[in-house]
Amino acid sequence: ETGVTQTPRHLVMGMTNKKSLKCEQHLGHNAMYWYKQSAKKPLELMFVYSLEERVENNSVPSRFSPECPNSSHLFLHLHTLQPEDSALYLCASSQRLAIQNEQFFGPGTRLTVL
Amino acid sequence: SQQGEEDPQALSIQEGENATMNCSYKTSINNLQWYRQNSGRGLVHLILIRSNEREKHSGRLRVTLDTSKKSSSLLITASRAADTASYFCAGGDSNYQLIWGAGTKLIIKP
């Protein structure tokens, strides 16, 4: 596989469930990102990892828990979510952690919280 | 956080016409990037323009940047049905975070 892949593509969960989103990049990049995309709103940066170290946590509720076991994989663990957390969750990677670097996005996970 | 803002929010044109989308931002930026998103999919990078550049071309795309007005425009010439998508601008400041707009939804009618 090439580029950035995300699984699952669609997820429906209840508020008491625990689930995880997975992201894998096959580009040899050093930086990875989690974004939340809600309808008609700008992308919200949730977490940033550089060389497996978290460098940003943009006031994200603790019900979202990221994990970066190596530079190719990124997880987002979900527990006790709220209906307003329903959104498209996008993973991205870039060669380095720098603003001039192009970000490569995965297709996203469409999350619905009932 | 400061936001970018695209204008218009939605644009519908006939195939073959040119499409122009605008982006305004509030803070100083080092560069500005444009991305395209097909319905419900990930974003694809289109072009990056640096703060010391005024215009940049890539195929049918033309991007301008006016740092004094804190604005940028994306022009797609000779539009095609495959150009139907949402287009986002993202400004990079001295930090590593991109500041995203809410996007312009472009529909190309055959």
Side-chain angles (χ1 to χ4, degrees), chain A residues 7-8 10-11 13 17-23 34 65 67 74-79 109 111:
Chain A
T7 55
H10 299 271
L11 178 62
M13 59 187 289
N17 290 160
K18 287 185 182 181
K19 296 287 184 183
S20 295
L21 310 184
K22 179 183 176 182
C23 174
W34 277 119
S65 174
E67 178 190 359
L74 188 64
F75 294 89
L76 188 62
H77 303 299
L78 316 171
H79 65 98
T109 294
L111 174 67

Side-chain angles (χ1 to χ4, degrees), chain A residues 47-84:
Chain A
F47 301 104
V48 182
Y49 278 83
S50 176
L51 296 171
E52 302 146 49
E53 284 194 26
R54 190 192 307 181
V55 296
E56 188 69 45
N57 174 358
N58 273 352
S59 303
V60 178
S62 59
R63 56 185 183 269
F64 295 92
S65 174
E67 178 190 359
C68 188
N70 55 61
S71 60
S72 298
H73 293 86
L74 188 64
F75 294 89
L76 188 62
H77 303 299
L78 316 171
H79 65 98
T80 59
L81 294 192
Q82 305 297 312
E84 59 265 28

Side-chain angles (χ1 to χ4, degrees), chain B residues 24-42:
Chain B
S24 60
Y25 53 92
K26 297 176 183 175
T27 61
S28 296
I29 58 170
N30 178 282
N31 65 65
L32 191 131
Q33 303 182 37
W34 284 90
Y35 286 78
R36 182 188 75 226
Q37 183 180 34
N38 290 89
S39 181
R41 302 296 301 272

